[in-house]
Amino acid sequence: MSQYLITGATGNVGSEVLRQLCATGHKPLAMTRDAKSAGAKLPAGAFRYTQVS
């Protein structure tokens, strides 16, 4: 199985790509800037990576 890193995972395009990957059984890695807001927006099955600045 391929691995996917989705940047901008809470945005309009990134969230849809992430949702479709999770719906088809993939476990993508979602890159976000804000862990708190991402927690509510990311679908189950997505792994989170929060960028630390």
Side-chain angles (χ1 to χ4, degrees):
M1 183 182 298
S2 299
Q3 294 182 347
Y4 300 95
L5 170 64
I6 309 301
T7 59
T10 57
N12 291 329
V13 175
S15 62
E16 181 61 21
V17 170
L18 192 65
R19 186 190 67 75
Q20 289 186 22
L21 285 170
C22 289
T24 57
H26 297 282
K27 295 192 178 203
L29 178 63
M31 180 179 268
T32 65
R33 288 180 287 178
D34 185 0
K36 288 183 182 181
S37 71
K41 295 179 183 179
L42 298 180
F47 293 100
R48 276 182 252 165
Y49 174 80
T50 302
Q51 183 177 352
V52 179
S53 50

